[in-house]
Amino acid sequence: MKLLRVALCFFNHKQMFNKNNTFHITTEKVGRSMKNVLVVSFGFLLLFTATGSLLNLQSSLNTEEGVGVASASVQFASIILSSMFVAPLVIKYLGCKWTIVAAMGCNVVYTVGNFYPGWETLLPTSIILGFGESPLWSATSTYLTINGRKQAEKDKKKNQDVINQYFGILFLLYQSSAVWGNLMSSIVFGQDSTSVNISESDLQFCGVGSCGNISEAPSNSTRPPERLVHTLMGCYVGVGVLAMLLVAVFLDNIDRDMTLEFRSNKEPFCSTFLATFKQLNDRRQVFLIPVTAYIGLELGFLNGEYTKEYVTCALGLHFVGYVMICFGATSSLFSYAFGRLSQYSGRVALFALATTTQFTCILGLLFWRPHPDQLPVFFVFPALWGLADAVWQTQTNALYGVLFHGQKEAAFANYRLWEAVGYVIAFACSRFLCVNTKLYILMGVLLLSVTLCFSVEYGEYISPTPSEDNTSDTKLEIKSTELNEDNDTECDKVL
């Protein structure tokens, strides 16, 4: 335990020893806060090593009758319903910790369904996964926000700086799951001895040459042998169960008192049930809808279109994992870096960087004709995409935590709701629109998103949202003033 505290102190850049060069036992609380961040982050690393990689493979692996893309659409449609009605209620009733554990179980069920993919297995398990996904992310974001505010109060730092750092750590490990999950799939499927021969005539239908209804050559999307698929799914189920056990055993239940208070209070059911919709009364929430939906759109394009119409079409299915490793590596590293950098640069500069990077990538994809001879280019695009995605993920989550600290559960449920809307649109249009049309849509939503996001940031700069502690102090002062006025009135009556 003492070694764990030392490691946590190094991680937090805190002083470990006092003047007598002996271990500083008082750092235990600081280490405990960071321990919780690391536990939930490593839990996400393990969990999305499986489900994140499966999402990358759906459009290329389960191609029969489009069941892979259809299941992804159903998954995110159920996330929308879960975000609207389920997430705030589940979090308030179970608490953040046990909501995370239960939602991780839904991910494991989905992985089991991929052993024998078909309409009767993938669609029901996709619905289960979707209903667990929104509570999972909403509970995690709420947990990190509560944890970050408590730590900021102890360290006498700005709330947003600590929250940014915590989200940076989460997305560092979460995004790195793409590295390990895709590496696992590439190694397993690399054992398939079937060769891939792609002709020049087939390559003309890759990239922007694809219009959804035109299928690429069957040789470059052949499903691997079932024994290899079952091996991969077995590994994925194992890491998912391990993630559940890690969080259940080691994560502190920091919101236990709030959960017990909610259960004891007779708060109207509809009030909690419809909390996600009530959040839309806040104009800032409405302005953040496009940028939140854009996150789902850009990730949906990368997972569904880039992997299928660029990588699988020109290189073959076995290259999908290696290409997505590049995305996961850059996204995870920049997530942590931007979480630290934001306290010096601010969010606006990082949003501008992400916009410029992704706009350039979209233009490049519009004019690039993928060819096996251009192998390095296949890795450059996901690397730059990962840099931009790291900004969208960390800074948007942190912005939600700063703006809506009084309605954390409903705000983060809205985050998952509109992100899922973006995913659904991306996957639903996959079979009906040309790739160039999808890129133009992506470009338009990007410009709209960043414009409205900057307006929210400007409003926050002009009139900063009061911190939770300041709000509580103001309420106490008002209450104290009212009590004093009542006492003065009573004294006047006596006189």
Side-chain angles (χ1 to χ4, degrees), residues 266-448:
K266 299 301 181 181
E267 186 175 346
F269 176 76
C270 291
S271 176
T272 306
F273 193 64
L274 301 177
T276 304
F277 295 107
K278 292 180 179 179
Q279 179 67 16
L280 294 175
N281 291 328
D282 193 324
R283 187 182 67 172
R284 299 170 301 176
Q285 176 67 75
V286 176
F287 276 26
L288 289 177
I289 287 175
V291 70
T292 313
Y294 176 75
I295 295 173
L297 275 174
E298 54 101 1
L299 286 175
F301 179 86
L302 185 73
N303 293 326
E305 306 305 325
Y306 186 76
T307 57
K308 180 183 179 183
E309 306 297 354
Y310 287 86
V311 181
T312 303
C313 183
L315 300 178
L317 176 63
H318 63 287
F319 261 97
V320 170
Y322 293 117
V323 169
M324 293 305 291
I325 285 173
C326 193
F327 166 78
T330 55
S331 185
S332 62
L333 291 175
F334 282 112
S335 292
Y336 180 72
F338 292 148
R340 289 276 186 180
L341 183 62
S342 61
Q343 59 185 309
Y344 306 107
S345 65
R347 288 185 298 267
V348 173
L350 295 179
F351 280 136
L353 173 64
T355 303
T356 304
T357 302
Q358 216 147 41
F359 189 84
T360 304
C361 285
I362 293 171
L363 287 177
L365 290 171
L366 280 169
F367 294 102
W368 178 47
R369 292 286 182 176
H371 194 281
D373 293 339
Q374 304 166 340
L375 188 61
V377 183
F378 287 90
F379 294 87
V380 170
F381 280 109
L384 294 174
W385 209 272
L387 182 151
D389 182 65
V391 175
W392 300 127
Q393 296 277 7
T394 58
Q395 301 309 306
T396 308
N397 271 282
L399 182 58
Y400 268 72
V402 171
L403 295 178
F404 311 117
H405 58 75
Q407 305 86 27
K408 293 181 286 292
E409 297 88 352
F412 286 118
N414 265 278
Y415 181 95
R416 289 304 297 166
L417 165 64
W418 298 110
E419 185 187 36
V421 168
Y423 266 112
V424 168
I425 294 172
F427 284 110
C429 296
S430 178
R431 293 171 61 85
F432 306 108
L433 296 178
C434 298
V435 172
N436 60 347
T437 304
K438 297 168 190 172
L439 286 168
Y440 285 126
I441 293 173
L442 205 60
M443 186 185 299
V445 177
L446 171 61
L447 296 177
L448 173 65

Side-chain angles (χ1 to χ4, degrees), residues 47 51 98-112 125 128-129 132 136 240-241 243-244:
L47 184 71
T51 51
W98 296 112
T99 299
I100 293 172
V101 175
M104 285 180 166
C106 296
N107 282 257
V108 174
V109 171
Y110 170 73
T111 308
V112 172
T125 54
I128 293 172
L129 171 62
L136 172 65
V241 172
M244 292 178 64

Side-chain angles (χ1 to χ4, degrees), residues 476-492:
L476 287 173
E477 289 175 5
I478 294 172
K479 190 172 183 180
S480 176
T481 304
E482 291 175 350
L483 288 173
N484 289 334
E485 290 176 353
D486 292 340
N487 289 336
D488 292 340
T489 303
E490 290 179 4
C491 289
D492 291 340

Side-chain angles (χ1 to χ4, degrees), residues 54-65:
L54 274 176
L55 183 62
N56 296 337
L57 292 169
Q58 286 298 342
S59 62
S60 302
L61 183 62
N62 300 319
T63 57
E64 186 175 354
E65 298 181 354

Side-chain angles (χ1 to χ4, degrees), residues 7-14 30-38 40-41 140-141 143-153 155-174 331-347 350 390-391 393-399 401-402:
L8 289 170
C9 288
F10 268 120
F11 197 93
N12 237 2
H13 302 286
K14 298 293 181 185
V30 175
R32 196 169 192 83
S33 174
M34 182 58 67
K35 183 268 293 184
N36 288 326
V37 176
L38 293 176
V40 74
S41 300
T140 303
S141 299
Y143 189 96
L144 291 183
T145 301
I146 295 172
N147 201 30
R149 288 185 176 278
K150 287 183 177 180
Q151 193 58 46
E153 182 182 356
D155 293 345
K156 301 192 184 315
K157 293 182 177 180
K158 290 183 178 179
N159 289 333
Q160 63 182 17
D161 290 344
V162 179
I163 293 171
N164 273 333
Q165 179 187 346
Y166 283 2
F167 275 110
I169 295 170
L170 172 69
F171 283 103
L172 164 69
L173 293 172
Y174 159 67
S331 185
S332 62
L333 291 175
F334 282 112
S335 292
Y336 180 72
F338 292 148
R340 289 276 186 180
L341 183 62
S342 61
Q343 59 185 309
Y344 306 107
S345 65
R347 288 185 298 267
L350 295 179
V391 175
Q393 296 277 7
T394 58
Q395 301 309 306
T396 308
N397 271 282
L399 182 58
V402 171

